[in-house]
Amino acid sequence: LGLLLVKERGNKRGEAETLTFISKIYLDSGDNQKALEYYNNALTIYKNLGDKVFEATTLNTIGSIYYRLDERQKALEYYKQALLVFEGAGDKNGDADTLTNIGEIYSGLGEKQKALEYFKRSLQISGAAGAKFTEARARVAIGTVYSNLGEKQKALEYFNLALPFFKEATDKSYEARTLLNIG
């Protein structure tokens, strides 16, 4: 009903926001295909509105869905598109978050050095932008790669640098995962 009302009124921003909200509901219920359908519709509207930040955020979210569906190449395509749009919009936190997402793809593909390059770029940008959560997330990602490479001491350094932030965060799952990595 809400979607019909905003469409009737010609409120494109409201339509895109409603489509995004509906997408999240489908995503939470596990219907990834329906979520993708609605996110893609929202993406078209954000592009037409020229809203670069929401366009990039939607591209990043679509990439995340493909990542969950284990369609790594498709995820990578969407993440790279998002990165270009975030860079054009000057959204440093979006840049850094997307760089970490891209690094996770490369790490999963076994390209550890390439993953480290993306994680370190994310760390640099998020640190400069004061995006503490994204910075801590990049530190854990770097630590995980070093751990997988057998460089345990280097991994511990990165995990320990991330831990204080996660201790203060509302979502304690990141703290728990970091403690598991340290253990």
Side-chain angles (χ1 to χ4, degrees):
L1 182 64
L3 184 58
L4 291 175
L5 287 173
V6 292
K7 276 185 171 185
E8 283 178 7
R9 293 182 177 152
N11 180 351
K12 288 299 188 184
R13 174 159 308 285
E15 183 180 345
E17 290 169 354
T18 304
L19 288 166
T20 299
F21 181 72
I22 293 169
S23 301
K24 289 177 183 176
I25 292 170
Y26 279 115
L27 195 57
D28 289 344
S29 70
D31 191 341
N32 293 312
Q33 294 306 320
K34 268 292 198 205
L36 282 171
E37 177 185 326
Y38 280 89
Y39 274 120
N40 277 306
N41 290 335
L43 177 61
T44 300
I45 294 170
Y46 287 130
K47 281 182 178 180
N48 290 336
L49 289 172
D51 190 326
K52 297 297 182 189
V53 173
F54 278 99
E55 177 185 343
T57 301
T58 305
L59 285 164
N60 207 5
T61 303
I62 292 170
S64 295
I65 294 170
Y66 281 117
Y67 183 83
R68 280 186 220 149
L69 292 171
D70 205 28
E71 294 186 42
R72 302 294 196 238
Q73 284 308 121
K74 259 191 171 171
L76 190 56
E77 289 170 26
Y78 278 91
Y79 288 152
K80 285 187 174 184
Q81 287 178 54
L83 183 61
L84 289 173
V85 178
F86 274 132
E87 287 172 346
D91 185 325
K92 296 296 182 193
N93 191 41
D95 280 353
D97 191 45
T98 305
L99 286 164
T100 298
N101 291 343
I102 292 170
E104 287 175 354
I105 296 277
Y106 284 119
S107 183
L109 293 172
E111 297 183 46
K112 303 300 184 195
Q113 292 307 318
K114 198 165 193 174
L116 277 174
E117 290 172 26
Y118 279 94
F119 293 147
K120 287 181 178 181
R121 279 180 54 203
S122 174
L123 181 60
Q124 181 183 20
I125 292 169
S126 59
K132 295 294 181 191
F133 178 83
T134 305
E135 181 181 350
R137 187 172 164 241
R139 288 187 190 285
V140 169
I142 292 168
T144 301
V145 171
Y146 281 130
S147 180
N148 291 334
L149 291 172
E151 297 183 46
K152 303 299 184 189
Q153 193 56 47
K154 222 173 195 179
L156 274 173
E157 290 172 25
Y158 281 95
F159 294 144
N160 283 319
L161 287 169
L163 188 59
F165 173 79
F166 290 142
K167 282 186 175 192
E168 295 176 15
T170 309
D171 183 349
K172 295 297 180 186
S173 66
Y174 288 96
E175 178 184 359
R177 281 183 270 181
T178 304
L179 287 168
L180 282 171
N181 284 328
I182 290 170

